[in-house]
Amino acid sequence: MARQVGELLGMDVSVRARLEPLRGKLVRLVDRGWLRKLPDGRFATRL
C-alpha cells in the first residue's frame, strides 16, 4: 500500500496530504509498466 511504501522511503505518512501525492506517483508508475497494482491495493515490482 502507498502508506507502506512511504514508510520504507522514510517519508512522513501520518498526514494524508503527504500520502496522496505518493499514491499518484505510484499509480503513474503502474501506468508506465514499472509497477503493478494487486487487487488488494498493494503495489508490487514488475518481474
Side-chain angles (χ1 to χ4, degrees):
M1 305 228 162
R3 181 175 305 276
Q4 293 171 337
V5 172
E7 288 172 353
L8 287 172
L9 294 175
M11 298 174 64
D12 178 24
V13 293
S14 61
V15 180
R16 186 174 181 131
R18 297 202 179 163
L19 186 60
E20 290 305 318
L22 175 61
R23 187 181 324 274
K25 290 175 186 178
L26 291 172
V27 170
R28 282 196 303 266
L29 288 174
V30 169
D31 292 341
R32 293 176 185 165
W34 288 51
L35 292 177
R36 62 186 172 115
K37 189 170 183 181
L38 302 175
D40 61 355
R42 293 185 297 156
F43 293 93
T45 58
R46 193 114 186 139
L47 293 177

